[in-house]
Amino acid sequence: MKQRGRHRRRRRGRALRAALTGAALALTGAATLISASQATVADDPGALKPLTSAAETDALRLTEHRVPTAWLDRLSAAMGDPVGVDTVLESADHTLRDAADCTAGEREALPVSPAATRAYCWDEADTDGWRPGAVTTSGDADEDGRWGAHRVILSAWSRDDGTPQGGLARVSFVDADDPGRLGYASALLAVPVDGGHDYRGLASPVTGMVWYQDKLLVTTAAGDRDALYVYDVERVQRATTAADAVGRVPGGWAAGGHRYVLPAIASYRLPDTDGAARPAAISLDRGTSPDSLVATERVAADGDRPTRLWRYALRTATDPDRTGLPATDPSGRVDAVEAYETGAAEVGGVLSHRPPGATRSDWYLGRAAGGQEGRGTLWRQDTEGARAAECGADRSQQCWSGPAGSMSYWERTGEVWSQSGRMLFALPLTSIEDALD
């Protein structure tokens, strides 16, 4: 039985690799049809320009606002003891499909160059009417790549209500222990209100997300000054009714039809100035000391200013009340410890990585091609210049995933995870570096 099982897994692995290779070849063929004018849309963003003046860096400052512990305890007393990640994973009620079982239309969202080496598509019925958002993993949460005994991927989604602000937001917890079967369950993101007697849904696209230690940091779209919310992955609450409402309802607690809800424990507010930079895509960089939260804003292709990239230091304190949070000064302010301007627009994903022995970090930006529909572009930038991945006979730069999404580097495996459309995919950072050399 074990021998036949291994043969089935090998056949399935060969089928998956063939599907991914076939998809990459087909997409490369499609890329060769891009006209020369389209291929030049992604103009060279040039070198990164450091931002050093107080006026420039003050616009990047955030101010911490903690949800009172009494509010969270009041919710727990009313809803029942919180549960953790293990409980959510054990209740997985949906499964992702391997790329070999995804449709050709779904696989069109995969990058052309560099190509994905692992890819999955989400349950169509479960994600219908939802927009894909950011991705993070237990590789961010802990250096050994596990949360407890599990490898976990977190994927954010927001309900597509026809507005740019988006509707309710949720996070899917994916059990990644078995690459051949990725099961998942989802929890609604919420914000406590009324002194902890109730909660509202977080109504915003989640374009950036980092799971650091026991905290989940997520970005929010324009609408108010709260730009970043924080959740404690060990404070997942069970909904007590399957009602489509959110919050306290007759007979219990509802989470928009989901079985779980995550109440925010803190938020970080933008400065009250016109030039305040709202973090859109974020990621974790373990190559700095201390570890840092990397951020970029989203500037439209027809915008009249550069895009800012920056990083915040993360706390290293052992105080359990402060683990996983950005470092603050005594006034609760979070200041950028490094910042740049780039000529790249429509940035949807960002990574910062310093190779061993290097004296500076490389910045990787996934972005839409000049605001055009179709494939995105992948750039590597530093203070000396920029380089884009190319594909096709005409050396087009439109080779990355369709709507360029967030990127998350799993240091233990060397893989970069992202998602686009209904596809969740991974590829080695080394393949990205090779494509950009």
Side-chain angles (χ1 to χ4, degrees):
M1 290 296 290
K2 291 182 179 178
Q3 185 74 6
R4 288 198 295 272
R6 283 197 296 270
H7 288 165
R8 283 196 295 271
R9 287 193 293 272
R10 288 170 182 166
R11 288 197 297 271
R12 190 168 191 82
R14 287 195 294 268
L16 174 58
R17 289 191 293 274
L20 291 173
T21 301
L25 291 172
L27 292 170
T28 301
T32 63
L33 301 178
I34 298 174
S35 68
S37 61
Q38 287 176 305
T40 58
V41 169
D43 295 331
D44 189 336
L48 296 176
K49 174 191 172 185
L51 300 178
T52 56
S53 72
E56 292 170 322
T57 57
D58 285 354
L60 310 175
R61 176 179 294 153
L62 298 175
T63 303
E64 181 180 88
H65 294 268
R66 301 293 298 274
V67 174
T69 302
W71 291 28
L72 299 169
D73 291 344
R74 192 169 289 129
L75 269 180
S76 296
M79 299 183 69
D81 290 340
V83 299
V85 175
D86 286 358
T87 298
V88 179
L89 294 178
E90 289 167 2
S91 65
D93 52 356
H94 297 281
T95 306
L96 286 95
R97 289 169 286 141
D98 288 337
D101 299 322
C102 304
T103 68
E106 288 170 326
R107 291 198 298 264
E108 285 180 0
L110 293 172
V112 174
S113 177
T117 51
R118 286 205 277 167
Y120 308 87
C121 46
W122 292 90
D123 184 320
E124 183 175 2
D126 182 55
T127 56
D128 184 38
W130 292 81
R131 301 175 188 171
V135 171
T136 184
T137 73
S138 53
D140 278 352
D142 194 275
E143 287 184 88
D144 73 0
R146 294 176 180 269
W147 185 253
H150 298 287
R151 295 183 180 91
V152 190
I153 300 167
L154 301 186
S155 169
W157 296 78
S158 63
R159 192 184 293 280
D160 190 353
D161 65 352
T163 69
Q165 292 75 25
L168 297 175
R170 73 184 188 192
V171 170
S172 296
F173 291 70
V174 183
D175 185 342
D177 286 335
D178 180 359
R181 188 187 185 283
L182 271 59
Y184 70 94
S186 301
L188 189 76
L189 296 180
V191 180
V193 296
D194 190 22
H197 292 286
D198 205 348
Y199 55 80
R200 64 172 175 84
L202 179 71
S204 174
V206 178
T207 54
M209 183 166 63
V210 165
W211 180 5
Y212 184 64
Q213 298 178 10
D214 59 347
K215 303 302 191 300
L216 184 64
L217 299 90
V218 306
T219 61
T220 57
D224 60 37
R225 288 173 55 206
D226 287 319
L228 188 72
Y229 280 85
V230 181
Y231 297 85
D232 185 335
V233 297
E234 295 300 317
R235 272 193 176 270
V236 181
Q237 299 284 169
R238 295 181 188 268
T240 59
T241 172
D244 200 41
V246 176
R248 184 188 288 274
V249 296
W253 298 86
H258 297 84
R259 286 180 293 169
Y260 301 102
V261 60
L262 260 173
I265 66 159
S267 65
Y268 291 82
R269 189 162 296 173
L270 297 169
D272 191 14
T273 61
D274 291 338
R278 176 177 291 272
I282 57 175
S283 63
L284 176 68
D285 187 351
R286 290 191 181 276
T288 58
S289 183
D291 297 341
S292 58
L293 183 70
V294 174
T296 178
E297 60 185 340
R298 184 86 178 232
V299 175
D302 57 0
D304 58 359
R305 62 178 179 82
T307 298
R308 288 165 289 189
L309 311 172
W310 66 99
R311 71 172 80 237
Y312 301 117
L314 291 164
R315 291 190 66 90
T316 57
T318 56
D319 180 354
D321 191 47
R322 298 295 307 171
T323 59
L325 297 175
T328 61
D329 66 15
S331 300
R333 296 181 302 186
V334 183
D335 288 307
V337 295
E338 184 180 9
Y340 300 95
E341 281 184 352
T342 172
E346 302 284 357
V347 178
V350 62
L351 285 179
S352 173
H353 178 70
R354 179 175 296 185
T359 58
R360 63 172 182 263
S361 298
D362 290 325
W363 291 72
Y364 300 88
L365 309 179
R367 67 183 184 115
Q372 304 292 317
E373 294 183 0
R375 310 208 64 77
T377 60
L378 181 63
W379 287 92
R380 181 180 60 207
Q381 277 188 279
D382 56 29
T383 53
E384 295 186 354
R387 170 75 176 172
E390 298 176 344
C391 58
D394 61 358
R395 301 176 66 83
S396 167
Q397 295 173 345
Q398 293 178 290
C399 311
W400 191 234
S401 59
S406 76
M407 296 182 286
S408 180
Y409 178 52
W410 198 322
E411 187 175 33
R412 189 77 170 184
T413 66
E415 293 176 304
V416 174
W417 284 88
S418 186
Q419 69 179 8
S420 182
R422 201 170 280 128
M423 298 299 300
L424 174 70
F425 63 90
L427 64 166
L429 179 60
T430 53
S431 70
I432 293 178
E433 292 169 344
D434 290 345
L436 293 165
D437 286 339

